[in-house]
Amino acid sequence: MPDRPASPRRSSEQAWLITGPLAMLAVVLTVALGVLEHDPLRNWPFAIGLLGLVLLAERPMLQIVIRRQATVISFTEISLLFALYLLPPLTVAVVFTLSALITNLRRRSVPTKLWFNVARAAAAVSVAGLVLLALPDMRGFGPGTWAILTAAVGSHSLVTLAAVAAVFAAMHGAQAGWETIRTSGPGMVTVAINVAVGLVVVICLRATWWSALLLLALGGAVLLLYGSYGQFFRQHRALADVYELTKAMSESSQDGTLADALLGRARALMRAEYATLWLPAQGRHPEVLLTARVDDPGLLDLSRTPVAVRQSAHDQGRTVAVGSRLGGDLALREALREAHVNEVIVTPLRSGQAVIGSLEVVNRIGGRPIGHFTPADVPIFETIAAHAAVALENSRLVDRLRYDAYHDGLTNLANRRRVTAALEEAVRARAPGEVVAVLLFDVDSLRQVNESVGHAAGDRVLVEVANRLRSSAPSAALVGRIGSDEFVVTLRLESVDAALALAAEIRDQLRDQMVFDALVLDVDTAVGVAVHPDHGADAAVLLQRADLAVTMAKSAPDSIQPFSPGMESRSSRRLGLAGDLRRALDHAEVEVYYQPKVTLTDRRLVGVECLARWEHPAHGAVAPEDFVAVAEHTGQLDRLTELVLGEALRRSRDWSIGRDPLPVAVNLSVRTLADQRFPIRVQELLTEYDVAPELLTFEIKEVGVLDGTERAVPGLRRLRDIGVRLAVDDFGTGHSSLSYLRRLPVNEVKVDQSFVQGMATDPVDLAIVNAVVTLSQQFGLAVVAEGVESELTLELLQDIGCQIGQGYLFSRPLPYERLEAWFGAQMESEAHPPGDVRRLRAVP
């Protein structure tokens, strides 16, 4: 459902549009009452006594706040029923109008509110009097009289409701008026209860005046019970509101909407006109000053809190509350008067012993007697501030981890992951007539600097190069460091020539001498240039070809080289492999190797990943990424996939070593995943080899399934319906959100080896792997760590709760016969009696 538009803010003078007609209506109706009644002003002594009862009944017993105004529910209906039963209608109108005037003067209501309440009271009670006169005369005090009095009092309540709704609509828009009517149900029920109570009281008093003593005692007891219940209800509602606020802050701390969730709910919970969050500048975080104002849908960059009050709370490290019910220092109260603020509560936000900001509320909304903060509000607000401080610290911690994961620690430039993600986005959003340029700068002789004057000097050179790149690159460019001595600048330009001209301009500014104390260095760079769409269609290809170009640039006269197809000998080699691959598939020259997946605690075999290997007669071992790319572009991918899948299922069926069956995993291309006939073929092969579906796992790379779209979901669901398992391979190399996994029918996540292998030396990689393992397990997904190559990495994985791994620490990919030998060696090692000398079996 779309959000409703916010009500417009209007001047309180709009209330006169309702007050004026109400006043004229009240005058006309009062004159009518005087004309219709024979002796309209009789029994004045009793009327004066009744005025005191009416003033007592006007005291608010239940308070409801709607937007800026407070609506109170009292026992007015009981006193009105007495008055209509005992006095002439005109006298009743005078008494209730006078009571409304006295009550609003005592509350010091503003003129617009005072005269509206007086006009509303006069009009409503006049309508009630006319209804009473229009109905038959009351005879006795039976059901007929009850109905007449109920109709008169009910008409009074309906006129009051209509007047309040009309004034809210005039001041805040039609939606506010409708909201008043929509929420009037409890108030109307209260009116009915008051009428019933009033009738019972009259019946008791008609029976004997001594019943007044019992009624007073009963009324006092009810008031005490209501006061206790009201206090309990307010405490319970405050607790529930704080819980909802905490829950909302927890959910929004990850997506950057914490301030919206905090300020909007805190303002509503405290029934304040303004709620402000202030965070001073800290490190790379700028100063934050945001305010939620009643009736405004967004946040404002202003504050009504006097600076002196905020500074006092910050210096003292404790809550400062200033107002008519809160007290406060005289100087601070003077600051409030100068700022035209009625009251304010400022609570410091703490991180340990340090004050990191403040949370502030200004002016309780609604009129007297609830239009003020009280000391009881301070603990509630301090609780909100404590939860807000924790949420802010968590949000900054997540932001720091995210920043570290995408930025270089030395130069604070974007790292390779960030550059790759930005390039992918730029390629997708490229406009016609422009190119996405990649300028790769390689710093010459950095190794010599490190060896001659130390790595500290080399780091200073890198930092200076980063600073010069920032200052010389266009503001729209992204500057990153993607290698030890490689920097990249990416941006949109008009053409390749414009990219070359920019590369030359930046290179000239980098060539100026660098002075570090007594050390003067001349640093030069070589620049490789690649552009989309001329030189590549995705980020990886553009970076690869820029790297090829920078290698050639080192021998170029001006050290600047654009990419050209002649540099990519590897691509030419791939084209030559197309025919050879077809013959290799025909003659079964492509073999399947198996890499074990083991439990990290006891190194027990839990499955194998099936990998294609090709030994070319002339070129030797062909890299899998080379012949898989050839298979994709020459239409042979289906044959290659079926060869690996069939061999994997055959070995799984024939596995007879050990007590458990052999689960197998097969890599799946995105193209194969999109083939609607592929699940049928999988089902046929499972039946042919008599292998249970749960023993087969398909691994799909992250970039194929977590691309921000739903394209992969139908194919995954068709495979999942067969009963096979699904895994996301190389997770972490893309820029997708882990929460997106919840919407995919996958069973397993494989953490990319680049993170696993860096865990022992890079805290960022360790934090990323820890986050992937923790969140994946919370989603009910198994986690496999790829590239486990050291005992230290194994121990770190065990510490964070990862249960399965694969890598050279356990075994390289092996042919089937050597896999059997490897497994036999593991079984022999486990079965060896304790205390004997254990022999290590080498598997060639």
Side-chain angles (χ1 to χ4, degrees):
M1 178 182 293
D3 294 337
R4 293 171 178 169
S7 301
R9 295 176 57 83
R10 302 176 183 176
S11 170
S12 60
E13 299 299 322
Q14 298 286 337
W16 290 106
L17 297 176
I18 305 301
T19 302
L22 270 179
M24 290 187 288
L25 176 64
V27 171
V28 172
L29 295 180
T30 302
V31 172
L33 288 176
V35 172
L36 295 175
E37 183 70 18
H38 175 66
D39 188 7
L41 298 178
R42 64 180 182 273
N43 206 0
W44 270 106
F46 186 77
I48 294 173
L50 185 62
L51 177 62
L53 178 63
V54 174
L55 290 173
L56 180 64
E58 285 287 343
R59 297 190 61 184
M61 306 303 296
L62 182 62
Q63 304 159 353
I64 299 175
V65 175
I66 301 176
R67 299 191 185 275
R68 286 176 167 269
Q69 301 298 325
T71 300
V72 295
I73 298 175
S74 62
F75 294 147
T76 303
E77 294 79 13
I78 297 177
S79 59
L80 178 62
L81 186 144
F82 268 106
L84 292 175
Y85 180 67
L86 298 174
L87 295 174
L90 181 59
T91 303
V92 174
V94 173
V95 168
F96 273 80
T97 302
L98 185 60
S99 171
L101 178 60
I102 295 172
T103 299
N104 281 273
L105 288 174
R106 179 171 52 85
R107 293 176 181 173
R108 300 179 183 176
S109 299
V110 296
T112 53
K113 188 171 184 179
L114 183 151
W115 293 114
F116 167 76
N117 285 333
V118 171
R120 171 186 57 79
V125 76
S126 299
V127 170
L130 287 176
V131 170
L132 187 68
L133 293 177
L135 295 174
D137 294 338
M138 293 181 286
R139 301 180 183 279
F141 203 75
T145 300
W146 301 351
I148 293 171
L149 291 174
T150 300
V153 175
S155 63
H156 173 274
S157 299
L158 291 176
V159 171
T160 299
L161 175 62
V164 172
V167 78
F168 281 173
M171 294 176 63
H172 303 294
Q175 183 62 34
W178 166 246
E179 183 179 351
T180 303
I181 296 174
R182 185 178 59 83
T183 58
S184 63
M188 292 297 102
V189 172
T190 302
V191 170
I193 294 174
N194 286 344
V195 169
V197 171
L199 293 174
V200 170
V201 170
V202 173
I203 292 173
C204 293
L205 292 177
R206 282 174 56 87
T208 173
W209 284 100
W210 289 104
S211 61
L213 298 177
L214 297 177
L215 292 173
L216 289 174
L218 181 61
V222 169
L223 289 177
L224 289 175
L225 288 175
Y226 176 79
S228 300
Y229 169 76
Q231 182 179 5
F232 168 78
F233 179 76
R234 287 190 295 271
Q235 292 174 348
H236 175 76
R237 184 175 61 184
L239 181 62
D241 289 343
V242 170
Y243 170 76
E244 292 296 330
L245 173 62
T246 305
K247 183 179 178 182
M249 287 192 296
S250 176
E251 293 173 350
S252 61
S253 62
Q254 307 295 325
D255 56 14
T257 60
L258 176 60
D260 300 80
L262 167 64
L263 293 177
R265 290 176 178 266
R267 190 210 59 76
L269 192 152
M270 296 298 295
R271 301 201 305 273
E273 185 177 3
Y274 298 90
T276 299
L277 173 66
W278 174 70
L279 302 174
Q282 181 181 4
R284 65 183 183 85
H285 298 284
E287 181 183 15
V288 174
L289 183 64
L290 295 173
T291 295
R293 181 170 60 183
V294 66
D295 297 335
D296 276 325
L299 299 182
L300 309 174
D301 56 349
L302 56 84
S303 173
R304 291 295 306 278
T305 306
V307 176
V309 180
R310 179 184 298 135
Q311 192 62 43
S312 175
H314 188 274
D315 294 342
Q316 298 178 39
R318 62 178 180 84
T319 299
V320 173
V322 184
S324 59
R325 301 280 182 91
L326 300 170
D329 184 80
L330 292 178
L332 297 181
R333 300 187 71 171
E334 180 62 28
L336 259 64
R337 281 193 291 271
E338 293 177 358
H340 304 288
V341 171
N342 296 330
E343 52 201 351
V344 63
I345 302 176
V346 179
T347 298
L349 300 176
R350 291 184 172 275
S351 175
Q353 297 299 319
V355 176
I356 62 173
S358 62
L359 189 63
E360 307 156 9
V361 286
V362 175
N363 293 350
R364 171 68 62 83
I365 59 175
R368 294 171 180 268
I370 64 171
H372 295 283
F373 294 123
T374 65
D377 293 316
V378 175
I380 297 175
F381 192 59
E382 289 177 338
T383 302
I384 297 173
H387 288 294
V390 173
L392 284 168
E393 279 297 283
N394 290 340
S395 177
R396 286 189 170 182
L397 177 60
V398 171
D399 180 66
R400 181 64 189 178
L401 288 173
R402 186 182 294 115
Y403 181 87
D404 290 343
Y406 287 100
H407 290 80
D408 174 57
L410 176 64
T411 63
N412 286 327
L413 294 179
N415 61 13
R416 180 178 289 273
R417 299 188 192 102
R418 176 72 180 91
V419 170
T420 302
L423 267 178
E424 293 287 359
E425 181 64 28
V427 166
R428 285 195 294 268
R430 182 184 67 89
E434 67 179 10
V435 299
V436 178
V438 178
L439 313 181
L440 185 60
F441 294 80
D442 186 281
V443 180
D444 291 341
S445 305
L446 183 64
R447 181 175 180 179
Q448 287 78 0
V449 173
N450 290 332
E451 292 176 350
S452 59
V453 293
H455 287 275
D459 289 345
R460 294 178 69 181
V461 169
L462 293 174
V463 171
E464 180 62 22
V465 170
N467 293 335
R468 293 188 181 186
L469 279 174
R470 282 195 194 96
S471 61
S472 57
S475 58
L478 173 66
V479 181
R481 181 188 177 204
I482 62 173
S484 60
D485 57 356
E486 291 181 335
F487 295 84
V488 66
V489 175
T490 70
L491 74 165
R492 295 185 177 91
L493 292 171
E494 298 81 9
S495 63
V496 177
D497 292 338
L500 293 173
L502 178 63
E505 179 183 342
I506 296 176
R507 181 175 175 273
D508 287 341
Q509 297 186 39
L510 292 177
R511 294 180 66 186
D512 291 341
Q513 287 184 337
M514 298 183 182
V515 180
F516 306 107
D517 301 328
L519 183 65
V520 179
L521 297 176
D522 290 317
V523 177
D524 201 0
T525 57
V527 189
V529 179
V531 300
H532 168 77
D534 298 0
H535 301 151
D538 58 61
V541 172
L542 287 172
L543 289 172
Q544 174 198 357
R545 292 177 175 174
D547 193 54
L548 290 174
V550 81
T551 302
M552 300 297 297
K554 293 178 181 180
S555 58
D558 57 355
S559 297
I560 299 176
Q561 178 65 55
F563 171 80
S564 64
M567 300 176 185
E568 201 168 29
S569 58
R570 191 174 184 181
S571 296
S572 301
R573 182 187 172 198
R574 285 182 178 179
L575 293 176
L577 291 176
D580 295 339
L581 178 61
R582 183 175 290 104
R583 287 190 297 271
L585 291 173
D586 291 339
H587 296 88
E589 295 176 2
V590 177
E591 298 181 86
V592 177
Y593 278 47
Y594 306 86
Q595 185 173 27
K597 297 196 297 188
V598 303
T599 56
L600 298 182
T601 53
D602 55 6
R603 306 194 184 189
R604 179 174 50 85
L605 179 68
V606 293
V608 294
E609 182 178 2
C610 303
L611 303 167
R613 294 292 184 266
W614 180 24
E615 189 76 15
H616 192 277
H619 301 295
V622 182
E625 58 267 25
D626 284 346
F627 67 79
V628 169
V630 171
E632 285 185 339
H633 290 91
T634 58
Q636 301 179 74
L637 183 62
D638 292 344
R639 292 185 62 194
L640 180 61
T641 302
E642 187 164 337
L643 182 149
V644 177
L645 179 57
E647 188 69 8
L649 294 178
R650 183 171 73 87
R651 296 303 186 184
S652 178
R653 178 197 63 189
D654 297 340
W655 183 260
S656 59
I657 306 176
R659 297 186 299 269
D660 299 322
L662 179 65
V664 293
V666 176
N667 290 293
L668 200 62
S669 168
V670 180
R671 292 189 180 185
T672 305
L673 182 64
D675 185 1
Q676 297 186 2
R677 297 169 298 177
F678 181 71
I680 300 174
R681 184 55 181 156
V682 172
Q683 184 67 67
E684 293 172 352
L685 290 173
L686 288 171
T687 304
E688 177 183 345
Y689 289 101
D690 193 23
V691 175
E694 60 268 20
L695 295 179
L696 174 61
T697 299
F698 284 114
E699 297 181 2
I700 306 97
K701 291 186 181 296
E702 177 193 5
V703 294
V705 294
L706 297 177
D707 58 356
T709 68
E710 301 287 337
R711 291 179 298 181
V713 173
L716 293 173
R717 287 177 177 166
R718 286 193 294 268
L719 291 173
R720 183 67 180 270
D721 292 340
I722 297 174
V724 301
R725 291 171 55 81
L726 299 171
V728 177
D729 197 13
D730 295 344
F731 187 84
T733 56
H735 53 278
S736 53
S737 170
L738 183 59
S739 62
Y740 187 65
L741 289 174
R742 293 186 298 177
R743 305 203 298 269
L744 296 177
V746 297
N747 310 93
E748 181 178 293
V749 174
K750 300 189 71 176
V751 185
D752 185 68
Q753 62 180 356
S754 63
F755 298 106
V756 175
Q757 293 173 353
M759 290 174 60
T761 57
D762 190 344
V764 175
D765 286 341
L766 178 60
I768 291 174
V769 175
N770 188 15
V772 172
V773 172
T774 302
L775 293 178
S776 297
Q777 290 175 348
Q778 289 180 356
F779 294 164
L781 304 176
V783 184
V784 178
E786 299 180 301
V788 182
E789 297 183 1
S790 69
E791 292 289 345
L792 178 57
T793 301
L794 175 63
E795 292 175 3
L796 291 173
L797 289 170
Q798 290 174 335
D799 291 342
I800 64 178
C802 185
Q803 299 176 347
I804 303 174
Q806 67 182 92
Y808 287 179
L809 179 63
F810 311 115
S811 173
R812 294 173 178 269
L814 302 170
Y816 183 73
E817 294 75 18
R818 293 167 68 182
L819 174 69
E820 291 179 326
W822 176 87
F823 186 74
Q826 304 301 312
M827 295 294 291
E828 179 180 321
S829 176
E830 292 177 3
H832 207 282
D836 288 0
V837 177
R838 302 178 63 179
R839 297 180 180 178
L840 295 177
R841 249 183 99 179
V843 179

